[in-house]
C-alpha cells in the first residue's frame, strides 16, 4: 500500500489523540497538525505542527499547501471547518477528507435541519418545533403545550461551541432563555433559529460510528460528563471526562437497536437525500424507557470521548486503515476490532473554567505513569521548552483496564502525577455506572428489580371489559383467577374431540414496533391459532394470550389485547385468560413478544382432513387473504430494507385509496404490511355447519406457501396442480418480488400470494361449495385440482417471473 501523509486540522486533545493513533500505523509517513499544540509538538520526527497557512476562510490556502506537500488524507477535528466547507476545498485539489461535505455537515451545523431530517426519516427523537425572533409568543405557548419549563430544552440551531443548550427550571428562566437566544443573540448567528424540544428522561449515550456513505461501523458507546462539578452540578462545559463502554449502552439488544433504529436509517436517509455521509457520525442519544432517541448529531469525533474510545482499538485494526476505507468507500471490507475492557478519559482544566481563567501556567508532567496516555487540549511550549496552559481544558488523561474500576484507578493515578496551579478535575467520572453497581448491595424490592405489579393490575382492570365482550356459551367466570374455565357440556355435543393450537406472529411484530401500531397484532395472534383449528373442522371455543416485555406499558399492552378481543369476536371464541410477564433485562426498551393458545371442539365423525376420500381430480378452492398475513416477515423486512422505502411512506404501487388489481391501496407501506391476518371461521362455518358438507380438507397457507402447506392435508400418492392465472395476485406481492429479486418458485413456497385458505372438495361439489362461500361474502377461486403426482406443480408460473 502507498504511504500516507496526513493533515489533521485542530489544536485540542481530540486532535492530539487522532495524530497519535494515526502514527501507530506503519503506513503513515508523516502527520501534520494545523495548528497543533504542545502535545503534538512532542510526537517525534514523523509529526509536525503547522502554524501557517491557517485552516480558515475558504480553505484554499491550506488546501494548496496540502497539494504542494503531497498530503493524501485530511482529517478535520472540530466541526466548524466541516460546516464551512473544508471538504469541498480539499476535494477540488484531489485530496480525500475524512469528514462530510458542507451539505451533509448541516446535520451538526443546524439543529433545525437535523430535527427535520429525523422527522422526515422517522428516526426516534424528542417532539420539537423551530422558532425565529418574530415568534417569541408562539414559542412560549409551545413551551406550555409541552408541559412548561421543566419539560423542555432550548437549543440554538447553529454552532455555539457546545454552549447553546439551556435546560430551564422555571418559566421565568425559559422566557429569559428564549430572549437570550432569539432576541439578544447571545450566541450570535447560531441563535437565528431556536429549537424547542421535549426534555427526555433516561441515560445519555454518545455513539461514534465510522461511515463511507453506505456501511456503518460503530465504536463502543461512551458517556460524557458535561457539568463542571461532581454529581453533575455547576455550569456546562465542553466535557470533563468520559468512559466506555457503558452498562446501559451494552444492555441486551441495545447496540442492535441503536444500529437498526438510528445509525442505519441516518446513513440511508442522508444518501437518499443526496448528501451521503462520509466520516465520523457522532450521535448523542437518550436511552429512554421506549428505546434510544436522538438528542443531536455531530459530524466529527467527540471530545473527550475520542481520547477514551480510541484506546479500545485493537490489532489488526488501525485508525488509519478505517479512515482510508471510509474515504475510499470500502468500509465493508474492514473489520473494526475492539479490545475487551474499559477506557476512561479525565479532563484537567484551568481554575475558573468554564468562566474566566488564567493561561501561561507552568505544567509539571515529570512523573506520569507509563500505563496512561496524556493528550494535550490547551497547552503550548515556550521557547525555552516549558509546557504551559493555553486554554480552559488543558489535558485529557486516558487509561484502559480489564474492569471499569481498574481503568479509573490508572487514569486517576495519571491525574495525580500532574501538577499545575489552579487545576480542576472531577473526581467522580463514571459515577453513574459505579452507582448502579453499588446499588446491588442495597435492599431490593420487586419494583426495584423492574417489575411493576400496580401496572399489571391496572392492565387487568382495563382488559376485563374486552374479555367480557367475547363471552359465548360455555364461559364460566371472568379474568383475574388462576385459570380460565370452560363448560364443554354446555355445547351439547355428542362425541367431541378437543383440538388445540398455539402460535405467535413472528417478526411481523418487529414491523409493528418500528411502525408504532399495536392494535391489530392481537388479531394476527388469534388468527394464527384459530385458523389452524378450523382446518381440522373444529369450532374455536376459547383463547388465552401471553404478553412478555421488560417494562410494562399499559397503553401498548391494552392495545394488543384489544386486538386479541377483536380477533376472538371474529372467531366466535372467548378470551378466558392470559399471562402478562414483565421481565426486566429480557427485552430492550418498548420491545415485547406475544403468543396465543386456542382450543376448539369437533365431533369425532366430522374431523378433517378426510384423506381416504380424496382422489385425483378433486378441486382446490382458494379464499382470499388480506395481505401477507403473519408469515414470511423475515424476508419481507429484508426486502423493505433493501428497497429503501420507509414504513411511513406511501405504498409504492398506488396512490392511497386507489384500487389496484381489485385491492384498495392503504395509506402507507407500514399499514399494508400490518393488515391483520384474515380469520376464516365465519366464512367456513357456512360450509362446515352442515353434516353432509363436501369439504375433504382445508389448508391454512402460512409459512411455506402453497408448496409446503397443501401437501400437509393430502394422503401419500396425491399432489396438487395450481393454475396461477385463476386469480389476480395483490400488488403488494408483486412489489416484494420485484424489490427483492425473488424467484417465482420462492414466492410460491414462502407467501400466500393472495390466497390464505385452500379447500379440497370433490369435482362434483365444487360449484355448490363456491355458491355457499359466495353467500358468506367470499370471492372463492377455483385454483387447481389434485393429481396422482405427489408435490405441488404450477401452471403459468412464468406469469410471476420478474
Amino acid at each position: 500500500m502507498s504511504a500516507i501523509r496526513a493533515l489533521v486540522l485542530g489544536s485540542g486533545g481530540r486532535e492530539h489523540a487522532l495524530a497519535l493513533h494515526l502514527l501507530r500505523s506503519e503506513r503513515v509517513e508523516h502527520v501534520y497538525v494545523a495548528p497543533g499544540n504542545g502535545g503534538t509538538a512532542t510526537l517525534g520526527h514523523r509529526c509536525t505542527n503547522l502554524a501557517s497557512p491557517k485552516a480558515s476562510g475558504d480553505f484554499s490556502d491550506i488546501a494548496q499547501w496540502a497539494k504542494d506537500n503531497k498530503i493524501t488524507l485530511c482529517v478535520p477535528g472540530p466541526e466548524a471547518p466541516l460546516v464551512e466547507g473544508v471538504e469541498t476545498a480539499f476535494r477540488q485539489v484531489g485530496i480525500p477528507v475524512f469528514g462530510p461535505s458542507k451539505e451533509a455537515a448541516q446535520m451538526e451545523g443546524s439543529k433545525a435541519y437535523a430535527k427535520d431530517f429525523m422527522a422526515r426519516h422517522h428516526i426516534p427523537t424528542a417532539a420539537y418545533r423551530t422558532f425565529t425572533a418574530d415568534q417569541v409568543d408562539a414559542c412560549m405557548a409551545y413551551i406550555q403545550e409541552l408541559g412548561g419549563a421543566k419539560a423542555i430544552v432550548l437549543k440554538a440551531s447553529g454552532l455555539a461551541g457546545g454552549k447553546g443548550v439551556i435546560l430551564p427550571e422555571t418559566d421565568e428562566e425559559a422566557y429569559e432563555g428564549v430572549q437570550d437566544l432569539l432576541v439578544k443573540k447571545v450566541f450570535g448567528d447560531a441563535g437565528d433559529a431556536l429549537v424547542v424540544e421535549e426534555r427526555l428522561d433516561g441515560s445519555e449515550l454518545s455513539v461514534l460510528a465510522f461511515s463511507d456513505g453506505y456501511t456503518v461501523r460503530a465504536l463502543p458507546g461512551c458517556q460524557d460528563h458535561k457539568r463542571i462539578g461532581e454529581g453533575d452540578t455547576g455550569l456546562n462545559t465542553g466535557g470533563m471526562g468520559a468512559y466506555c463502554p457503558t452498562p446501559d449502552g451494552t444492555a441486551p439488544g441495545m447496540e442492535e437497536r441503536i444500529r437498526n433504529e438510528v445509525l442505519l436509517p441516518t446513513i440511508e436517509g442522508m444518501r437518499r437525500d443526496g448528501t451521503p455521509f462520509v466520516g465520523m457520525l457522532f450521535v448523542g442519544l437518550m436511552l429512554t424507557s421506549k428505546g434510544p432517541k436522538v438528542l443531536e448529531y455531530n459530524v466529527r469525533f467527540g471530545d473527550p470521548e475520542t481520547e477514551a474510545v480510541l484506546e479500545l482499538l485493537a490489532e489488526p485494526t488501525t485508525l488509519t486503515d478505517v479512515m482510508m476505507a471510509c474515504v475510499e468507500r470500502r468500509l465493508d471490507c474492514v473489520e473494526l476490532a475492539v479490545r475487551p475492557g474499559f477506557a476512561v478519559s479525565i479532563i484537567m482544566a484551568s481554575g475558573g473554567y468554564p468562566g474566566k481563567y488564567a493561561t501561561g501556567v507552568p505544567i509539571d508532567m515529570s512523573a506520569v505513569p507509563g500505563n496512561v496516555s496524556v493528550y494535550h487540549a490547551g497547552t503550548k511550549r515556550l521557547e525555552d521548552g516549558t509546557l504551559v496552559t493555553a486554554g480552559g481544558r488543558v489535558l485529557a488523561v486516558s487509561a484502559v483496564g480489564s474492569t471499569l474500576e481498574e481503568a479509573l484507578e490508572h487514569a486517576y493515578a495519571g491525574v495525580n502525577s500532574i501538577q499545575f496551579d489552579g487545576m480542576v478535575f472531577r473526581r467522580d467520572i463514571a459515577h453513574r455506572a459505579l452507582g448502579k453497581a453499588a446499588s446491588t448491595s442495597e435492599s431490593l424490592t420487586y419494583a426495584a428489580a423492574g417489575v411493576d405489579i400496580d401496572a399489571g393490575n391496572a392492565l387487568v382492570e382495563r382488559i376485563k371489559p374486552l374479555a367480557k365482550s367475547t363471552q359465548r356459551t360455555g364461559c364460566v367466570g371472568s379474568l383475574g383467577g388462576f385459570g380460565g374455565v370452560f363448560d364443554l357440556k354446555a355445547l351439547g355435543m355428542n362425541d367431541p374431540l378437543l383440538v388445540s393450537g398455539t402460535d405467535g406472529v413472528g417478526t411481523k411484530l418487529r414491523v409493528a414496533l418500528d411502525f408504532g401500531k399495536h392494535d391489530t397484532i392481537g388479531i394476527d395472534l388469534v388468527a394464527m391459532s384459530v385458523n389452524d383449528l378450523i382446518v381440522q373442522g373444529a369450532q374455536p371455543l376459547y383463547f388465552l394470550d401471553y404478553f412478555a416485555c421488560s417494562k410494562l406499558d399499559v397503553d401498548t399492552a391494552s392495545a394488543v389485547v384489544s386486538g386479541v378481543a377483536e380477533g376472538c369476536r371474529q372467531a366466535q371464541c372467548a378470551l378466558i385468560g392470559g399471562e402478562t410477564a414483565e421481565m426486566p433485562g429480557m427485552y430492550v426498551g418498548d420491545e415485547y413478544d406475544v403468543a396465543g393458545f386456542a382450543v376448539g371442539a369437533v365431533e369425532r365423525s366430522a374431523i378433517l382432513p378426510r384423506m381416504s376420500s380424496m382422489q385425483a381430480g378433486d378441486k382446490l378452492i382458494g379464499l382470499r387473504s388480506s395481505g401477507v398475513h403473519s408469515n414470511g416477515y423475515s424476508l419481507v423486512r429484508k426486502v423493505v430494507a433493501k428497497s429503501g422505502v420507509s414504513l411511513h411512506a406511501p405504498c409504492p404501487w398506488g396512490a392511497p385509496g386507489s384500487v389496484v388489481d381489485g385491492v384498495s391501496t392503504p395509506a402507507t407501506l407500514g399499514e399494508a404490511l400490518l393488515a391483520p391476518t384474515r380469520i376464516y371461521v365465519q366464512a367456513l362455518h357456512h360450509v362446515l355447519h352442515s353434516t353432509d358438507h363436501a369439504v375433504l380438507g382445508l389448508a391454512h397457507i402460512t409459512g411455506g406457501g402453497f408448496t409446503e402447506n397443501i401437501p400437509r392435508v393430502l394422503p401419500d400418492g396425491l399432489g396438487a396442480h395450481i393454475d396461477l392465472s385463476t386469480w389476480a395476485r395483490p400488488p403488494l406481492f408483486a412489489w416484494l418480488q420485484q424489490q427483492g429479486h425473488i424467484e417465482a418458485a420462492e414466492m410460491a413456497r414462502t407467501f400466500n400470494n393472495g390466497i390464505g385458505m385452500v379447500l379440497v372438495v370433490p369435482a362434483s361439489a365444487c360449484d355448490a361449495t363456491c355458491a355457499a362461500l359466495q353467500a358468506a361474502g367470499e370471492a372463492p377461486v377455483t385454483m387447481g385440482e389434485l393429481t396422482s403426482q405427489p408435490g405441488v406443480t404450477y401452471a403459468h408460473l412464468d406469469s410471476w417471473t420478474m
Side-chain angles (χ1 to χ4, degrees), residues 346 367-369 371-372 397 407-418:
I346 301 169
V368 175
N371 59 355
V372 302
V397 180
L408 286 164
E409 181 181 348
H410 294 331
Y412 276 112
V415 168
N416 291 330
S417 72
I418 300 171

Side-chain angles (χ1 to χ4, degrees), residues 604-748:
R604 188 182 301 270
S605 60
I607 196 165
L608 295 176
R610 300 172 181 172
M611 293 185 183
S612 62
S613 299
M614 294 182 185
Q615 61 183 352
D618 289 341
K619 297 298 183 181
L620 300 176
I621 301 173
L623 301 185
R624 307 282 183 167
S625 70
S626 56
V628 183
H629 282 183
S630 297
N631 295 97
Y633 276 83
S634 294
L635 179 56
V636 167
R637 289 168 52 237
K638 200 168 189 68
V639 170
V640 172
K642 182 179 180 181
S643 75
V645 179
S646 166
L647 294 175
H648 297 268
C651 292
W653 56 84
S658 63
V659 178
V660 180
D661 294 332
V663 179
S664 179
T665 305
T668 63
L669 177 59
E671 290 176 72
L673 295 178
L674 289 172
T677 306
R678 276 204 63 194
I679 293 173
Y680 294 98
V681 172
Q682 294 188 47
L684 290 173
H685 175 74
H686 286 265
V687 175
L688 300 180
H689 77 286
S690 173
T691 57
D692 59 352
H693 69 77
V695 177
L696 303 176
L698 293 165
H700 183 196
I701 308 303
T702 57
F706 307 126
T707 306
E708 302 294 334
N709 284 293
I710 292 177
R712 295 169 66 183
V713 301
L714 303 182
D716 293 341
L718 289 182
H721 181 70
I722 298 175
D723 184 349
L724 300 181
S725 69
T726 54
W727 78 95
R729 193 170 53 152
L732 168 59
F733 295 99
W735 182 79
L736 289 170
Q737 182 179 7
Q738 179 187 42
Q739 294 298 314
H741 301 285
I742 304 170
E743 296 294 333
E746 182 68 15
M747 291 294 295

Side-chain angles (χ1 to χ4, degrees), residues 4 27 72-73 320-328 330:
I4 293 170
R27 295 180 61 191
T72 56
L73 176 66
T320 303
D321 291 337
V322 180
M323 285 185 170
M324 291 304 296
C326 287
V327 301
E328 293 170 358
R330 55 177 180 83

Side-chain angles (χ1 to χ4, degrees), residues 69-221:
N69 286 271
K70 297 181 172 58
I71 297 299
T72 56
L73 176 66
C74 176
V75 183
E79 65 276 11
L82 291 164
V83 172
E84 292 164 7
V86 69
E87 187 271 343
T88 301
F90 275 75
R91 177 160 38 86
Q92 288 174 344
V93 296
I95 299 174
V97 175
F98 180 78
S101 66
K102 180 178 182 178
E103 294 75 19
Q106 287 304 298
M107 292 289 276
E108 180 169 2
S110 169
K111 289 183 176 61
Y113 176 93
K115 294 292 285 191
D116 290 345
F117 171 89
M118 287 182 261
R120 188 164 63 252
H121 293 285
H122 307 286
I123 295 167
T125 187
Y128 79 101
R129 279 182 56 188
T130 303
F131 300 91
T132 54
D134 60 346
Q135 297 176 304
V136 171
D137 290 343
C139 180
M140 295 307 300
Y142 184 63
I143 290 173
Q144 294 305 311
E145 181 181 329
L146 288 180
K150 290 187 176 182
I152 60 100
V153 180
L154 304 176
K155 295 182 177 181
S157 179
L159 297 180
K163 307 249 178 30
V165 178
I166 298 174
L167 282 74
E169 293 299 314
T170 66
D171 288 344
E172 291 74 19
E173 289 181 11
Y175 182 76
E176 290 174 7
V178 172
Q179 289 288 325
D180 287 345
L181 292 169
L182 272 183
V183 181
K184 298 178 183 178
K185 297 290 183 68
V186 295
F187 293 114
D189 293 343
D192 285 349
L194 170 67
V195 175
V196 179
E197 66 179 32
E198 66 171 325
R199 193 179 304 186
L200 300 174
D201 293 323
S203 175
E204 288 194 45
L205 188 72
S206 300
V207 175
L208 281 67
F210 295 95
S211 177
D212 62 358
Y214 295 87
T215 303
V216 183
R217 295 273 192 270
L219 291 162

Side-chain angles (χ1 to χ4, degrees), residues 467-520:
K468 188 175 181 179
S469 71
T470 69
Q471 286 194 335
R472 54 157 296 158
T473 301
C475 286
V476 178
S478 61
L479 293 187
F482 288 99
V485 180
F486 190 90
D487 182 4
L488 187 59
K489 188 176 181 180
L491 300 180
M493 300 181 72
N494 296 317
D495 186 16
L497 295 175
L498 292 181
V499 182
S500 61
T502 185
D503 212 335
V505 297
T507 56
K508 185 174 187 177
L509 187 56
R510 183 74 258 170
V511 178
L513 287 164
D514 293 344
F515 190 65
K517 180 177 171 60
H518 308 282
D519 57 346
T520 57

